[in-house]
Amino acid sequence: MRKALAQVNLYPDGNAFYLKQKLAAKLSVTPANLILGNGSNEVLEFIGHALISPAAEVVVSQYCFAVYPIVTALFSGKLTVVPAKNYGHDLDAMLAAITPDTRVVFVANPNNPTGTTARREDLARFVSAVPGNVLVALDEAYIEFLDEPLDSSPRFAPVRSRICC
């Protein structure tokens, strides 16, 4: 506490250098592969800044996390909502909804707000099948609730990205 008190007047490291080093080592990626934010909403907005424009399409599932359509609208993107399957993601239908104008596909696993999950094998097949010019934003904010989560970092990095909190 005394050590922390002596540094309370200093700004924190905005790039989170030491945290990125430890996370990178744990995830077997380089620190350059990590983007940190103040919660998932900020990182989702980063995606919007980078990839969503009036010409860009974004694919989501019905009953998706409410912020995905909000971020898409914020950047005037075209939202494609794929009907849910048993309140969960219909990954095959989402894959079929991708067009040459699609830039982002948002998938939360487990899904927020329904709590449904995609099977690990189905999710791996889906991520592998999405065209390389489309960002798969794999939102794993509730990954702790999965018994066997898909470990996509080493397998798909750097061509695939994921979001987790």
Side-chain angles (χ1 to χ4, degrees):
M1 295 263 315
R2 289 179 198 262
K3 181 180 175 185
L5 185 59
Q7 298 177 9
V8 76
N9 63 318
L10 302 175
Y11 278 100
D13 173 13
N15 194 35
F17 177 82
Y18 296 106
L19 176 59
K20 280 186 177 181
Q21 298 300 316
K22 294 216 181 249
L23 284 171
K26 180 178 179 164
L27 298 170
S28 301
V29 298
T30 65
N33 291 111
L34 300 173
I35 296 173
L36 304 180
N38 295 309
S40 61
N41 289 10
E42 183 178 34
V43 177
L44 295 170
E45 188 176 331
F46 291 163
I47 291 171
H49 281 286
L51 297 172
I52 302 173
S53 68
E57 293 180 5
V58 176
V59 175
V60 299
S61 178
Q62 179 185 17
Y63 311 125
C64 67
F65 182 43
V67 176
Y68 306 155
I70 292 169
V71 167
T72 303
L74 180 65
F75 295 95
S76 302
K78 297 172 187 166
L79 187 67
T80 301
V81 180
V82 175
K85 188 176 188 180
N86 299 320
Y87 298 100
H89 302 303
D90 184 341
L91 296 175
D92 291 331
M94 291 177 75
L95 189 59
I98 295 172
T99 73
D101 293 326
T102 303
R103 293 296 165 259
V104 181
V105 177
F106 287 111
V107 177
N109 196 51
N111 189 32
N112 174 7
T114 65
T116 57
T117 59
R119 286 185 34 224
R120 182 179 170 166
E121 300 77 22
D122 294 340
L123 193 55
R125 182 181 44 77
F126 172 79
V127 171
S128 294
V130 171
N133 65 320
V134 177
L135 175 73
V136 176
L138 182 52
D139 184 342
E140 296 175 314
Y142 297 101
I143 194 170
E144 291 81 11
F145 292 104
L146 295 177
D147 292 330
E148 294 183 18
L150 175 67
D151 184 9
S152 61
S153 291
R155 187 179 333 180
F156 299 109
V159 285
R160 294 284 176 243
S161 298
R162 64 187 219 173
I163 298 173
C164 63
C165 302

